[in-house]
């Protein structure tokens, strides 16, 4: 992911802004950074108060020889494309991830039991975070942390914040918790199976396997216990569910306000039931109403434990993904990953496998969309748009949803080895297999405004209530 994530209000800390009206949506080119200036900056940092607790040997030993300009372009990347909540959830909570979670629960059952008895956190809640954060330890991010954090410490915005994280990352290695070679992560410095920032690591990581090191990269017990410790320290209430999908009474006009917590009697009296119509249980101390897509979509009553998921990454949709994944893992049922109430769309989102199927079908039809990776980026989006045009679909919007999945599946494309040249819309264009690898031909100006989106995004709601998209590195869904 991955991500800017995993930590409390990083989005607010680095001041991400939404550039919804910007015409230049593509990721900016990497800036040219002066290495002389970088080295001079590092000399200054070494003697600064923020690095007082880092010994000179450690600083010099892991001192980067050059800056990494890509992290600066990531810092300033303002994607225009906003993922709808149903797309966001269907790619994060799909059959594959639920099945991986059920397997993980079986594999780590003893450890999860011990963790529950020490921290009071339910196994499925720990697994929900683990699955969303790092795909159960499979997606950790590959950027060398010292290079990323040193570069962010010396250039562009938020240098003071990143200097603190850089110093903390050096302390983690100096403490012997994690090997320097394992210090890789997101462009912003979140790392390991929990995707903690270094400051969160120093505050909350625990050694659970008893080897004396807090190794959130290689030790699953350490990572799971540290996740439970994070949730416990943020106010997790033992024995409580996170909340429920509910059904609103007819004529209810309240708005989404998760923080306005009321007793369950209050909600019962209002006429709320569970989504399946059964009465609301009383096992939540209090709950607030969450309406992720407004009045018409699924509705939830969420308690304090939902708020602890939220504190992991300051996004309600993110917290809902953890909550929903944890329920499905707990039920051990991967057959249906939708909520009971449908999203207010006639074109629901697709799973990662369906994204791969679409990409393979496009390849089979002669569209050179690059690798089949299940991540709908620029090239895939453009190819979808061209395929839609060729089939007379209006609007040809490039959207990878269930409608397009059904369209391309119905056309038997997955078995077609021939490019559909005859249906190509723009006679001046050619099927992309003749273009340079990984690129598709741009057929009009609006195409050039499609964002470079090989990465995923996640919605983050800032303290000001504004929803912003932040990048999720390395395909971490
Ligand atoms: Ca350990």
């Amino acid at each position: 992911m991955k991500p800017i994530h995993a930590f409390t209000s990083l989005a607010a800390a680095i001041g991400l802004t939404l550039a919804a009206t910007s015409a230049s949506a593509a990721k900016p080119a990497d800036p040219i950074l002066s290495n002389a200036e970088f080295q001079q900056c590092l000399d200054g940092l070494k003697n600064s108060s923020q690095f007082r607790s880092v010994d000179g040997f450690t600083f010099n030993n892991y001192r980067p020889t050059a800056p990494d300009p890509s992290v600066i372009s990531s810092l300033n990347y303002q994607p225009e494309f906003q993922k709808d909540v149903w797309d966001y959830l269907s790619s994060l909570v799909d059959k594959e991830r639920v099945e991986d979670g059920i397997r993980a629960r079986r594999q780590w059952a003893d450890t999860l039991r011990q963790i529950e008895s020490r921290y009071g956190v339910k196994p499925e809640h720990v697994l929900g975070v683990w699955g969303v954060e790092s795909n159960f330890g499979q997606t950790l991010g590959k950027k060398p942390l010292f290079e990323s954090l040193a570069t962010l410490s010396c250039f562009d915005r938020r240098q003071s914040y990143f200097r603190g994280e850089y110093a903390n990352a050096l302390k983690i290695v100096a403490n012997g918790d994690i090997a320097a070679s394992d210090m890789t992560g997101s462009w912003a410095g979140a790392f390991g199976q929990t995707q903690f920032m270094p400051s969160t690591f120093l505050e909350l990581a625990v050694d659970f396997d008893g080897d004396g090191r807090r190794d959130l990269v290689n030790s699953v017990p350490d990572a799971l216990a540290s996740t439970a410790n994070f949730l416990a320290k943020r106010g997790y209430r033992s024995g409580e569910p996170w909340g429920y999908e509910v059904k609103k009474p007819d004529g209810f006009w309240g708005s989404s306000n998760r923080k306005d917590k009321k007793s369950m009697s209050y909600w019962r009296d209002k006429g709320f039931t569970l989504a399946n119509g059964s009465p609301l249980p009383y096992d939540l101390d209090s709950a607030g109403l969450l309406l992720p897509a407004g009045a018409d979509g699924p509705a939830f009553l969420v308690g304090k434990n939902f708020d602890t998921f939220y504190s992991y990454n300051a996004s309600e949709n993110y917290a809902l993904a953890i909550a929903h994944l944890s329920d499905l893992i707990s039920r051990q049922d991967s057959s249906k990953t939708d909520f009971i109430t449908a999203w207010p769309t006639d074109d629901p989102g697709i799973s990662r496998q369906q994204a791969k199927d679409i990409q393979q079908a496009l390849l089979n039809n002669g569209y050179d969309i690059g690798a089949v990776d299940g991540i709908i980026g620029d090239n895939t989006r453009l190819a979808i748009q061209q395929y839609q045009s060729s089939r007379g679909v209006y609007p040809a919007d490039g959207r990878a949803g269930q409608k397009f999945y059904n369209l391309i599946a119905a056309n038997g494309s997955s078995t077609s080895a021939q490019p559909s040249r005859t249906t190509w819309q723009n006679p001046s264009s050619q099927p992309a297999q003749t273009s340079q690898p990984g690129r598709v031909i741009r057929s009009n100006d609006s195409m050039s405004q499609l964002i470079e989106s090989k990465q995923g995004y996640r919605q983050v709601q800032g303290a000001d209530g504004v929803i912003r998209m932040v990048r999720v590195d390395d395909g971490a869904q």
Side-chain angles (χ1 to χ4, degrees):
M1 230 132 137
K2 187 169 152 212
I4 219 191
H5 28 322
F7 100 95
T8 322
S9 66
L10 176 58
I14 67 173
L16 289 161
T17 54
L18 177 69
T21 56
S22 162
S24 57
K27 189 178 176 201
D30 292 344
I32 295 164
L33 304 178
S34 154
N35 196 24
E37 195 186 318
F38 182 56
Q39 297 304 332
Q40 199 176 10
C41 167
L42 294 180
D43 287 340
L45 285 189
K46 191 178 165 185
N47 301 313
S48 71
S49 58
Q50 268 176 305
F51 285 74
R52 198 175 293 140
S53 52
V54 177
D55 67 90
F57 172 80
T58 301
F59 190 93
N60 289 336
N61 209 23
Y62 305 114
R63 177 173 174 151
T65 54
D68 175 0
S70 73
V71 300
I72 300 299
S73 42
S74 293
L75 176 69
N76 291 315
Y77 185 28
Q78 301 177 331
E80 267 184 29
F81 172 64
Q82 297 222 20
K83 237 178 176 179
D84 290 314
V85 56
W86 44 87
D87 287 337
Y88 177 82
L89 275 154
S90 56
S91 63
L92 262 179
V93 185
D94 58 13
K95 187 178 168 65
E96 191 181 341
R97 202 179 312 260
V98 176
E99 285 172 355
D100 287 346
I102 293 168
R103 253 193 307 277
R105 183 181 183 138
R106 216 168 290 138
Q107 185 181 353
W108 297 101
D110 290 344
T111 304
L112 288 163
R113 245 193 311 275
Q114 291 160 18
I115 286 171
E116 185 176 16
S117 69
R118 184 168 321 171
Y119 300 98
V121 178
K122 285 182 206 264
E124 61 265 31
H125 292 164
V126 174
L127 290 165
V129 175
W130 192 32
V132 168
E133 276 302 318
S134 66
N135 198 15
F136 306 103
Q138 295 174 69
T139 310
L140 306 187
K142 298 187 182 74
K143 282 212 172 288
L145 230 59
F146 298 129
E147 263 172 50
S148 304
L149 290 171
T151 304
L152 292 162
S153 295
C154 290
F155 296 98
D156 219 290
R157 303 178 288 129
R158 301 290 168 178
Q159 292 181 22
S160 175
Y161 166 72
F162 285 113
R163 286 174 184 186
E165 294 298 346
Y166 181 25
N168 287 335
L170 289 168
K171 280 182 218 164
I172 291 166
V173 171
N175 289 346
D177 280 317
I178 295 183
S181 56
D182 282 338
M183 292 294 274
T184 65
S186 78
W187 67 266
F191 71 100
Q193 302 195 28
T194 57
Q195 292 288 298
F196 282 173
M197 289 298 288
S199 55
T200 309
F201 180 101
L202 290 177
E203 181 195 353
L204 295 167
V206 296
D207 168 31
F208 201 73
D209 61 15
D211 70 350
R213 299 166 54 226
R214 302 181 289 174
D215 188 350
L216 305 193
V217 174
N218 299 300
S219 165
V220 171
D222 287 5
L224 298 183
S226 298
T227 299
N229 188 41
F230 180 104
L231 298 174
K233 290 287 191 321
R234 296 291 182 259
Y236 187 94
R237 298 174 63 94
S238 296
E240 274 199 8
W242 61 266
Y244 308 99
E245 188 188 349
V246 297
K247 191 165 173 292
K248 292 181 295 172
D250 290 343
F252 180 83
W253 281 98
S255 59
S256 186
N257 190 353
R258 163 179 67 85
K259 291 176 187 161
D260 185 18
K261 300 273 198 291
K262 309 277 193 205
S263 70
M264 295 312 279
S265 308
Y266 172 90
W267 296 112
R268 271 200 182 199
D269 292 347
K270 285 264 180 202
F272 280 77
T273 63
L274 291 179
N276 63 12
S278 357
L280 287 182
Y282 281 104
D283 52 3
L284 277 175
D285 176 63
S286 62
L289 181 63
L290 177 71
L291 304 171
D296 291 335
F300 305 90
L301 283 173
V302 301
K304 180 67 192 171
N305 291 346
F306 185 90
D307 297 344
T308 66
F309 302 160
Y310 177 88
S311 71
Y312 215 97
N313 198 27
S315 155
E316 287 179 345
N317 292 343
Y318 166 87
L320 186 59
I322 292 174
H324 190 40
L325 179 62
S326 69
D327 274 359
L328 295 169
I329 291 171
S330 177
R331 268 182 242 145
Q332 304 203 46
D333 181 5
S334 64
S335 64
K336 186 177 174 297
T337 56
D338 297 330
F339 291 110
I340 291 174
T341 302
W343 292 109
T345 174
D346 62 353
D347 190 13
I350 54 172
S351 68
R352 289 170 295 167
Q353 184 57 49
Q354 288 174 318
K356 287 179 189 167
D357 292 347
I358 285 175
Q359 289 177 321
Q360 186 59 53
L362 287 166
L363 278 176
N364 293 348
N365 274 273
Y367 297 85
D368 185 358
I369 51 104
V372 173
D373 57 7
I375 298 167
I376 303 295
D378 266 7
N379 293 341
T380 306
R381 219 176 289 282
L382 182 55
I384 289 171
Q385 198 163 33
Q386 292 175 334
Y387 186 93
Q388 287 171 319
S389 291
S390 75
R391 304 276 160 163
V393 173
Y394 179 84
D397 56 6
R399 172 174 162 71
Q402 289 295 339
K403 280 187 180 176
F404 184 77
Y405 179 79
N406 293 333
L407 171 74
I408 201 161
N411 282 292
S413 48
S414 59
T415 56
S416 163
Q418 294 303 312
S420 52
R421 288 167 193 270
T422 54
T423 56
W424 201 257
Q425 275 279 298
N426 182 346
S428 67
S429 297
Q430 299 168 50
Q433 82 274 17
T434 59
S435 68
Q436 76 185 95
R439 303 302 302 173
V440 288
I441 292 154
R442 294 176 184 270
S443 60
N444 65 42
D445 284 343
S446 71
M447 297 296 169
S448 63
Q449 295 183 15
L450 289 174
I451 60 167
E452 185 82 15
S453 56
K454 290 189 191 311
Q455 315 279 353
Y457 308 100
R458 91 175 12 168
Q459 286 191 346
V460 169
Q461 187 168 24
D464 54 3
V466 175
I467 305 254
R468 300 177 173 87
M469 298 303 296
V470 298
R471 219 181 93 202
V472 176
D473 297 16
D474 302 334
Q477 41 292 252

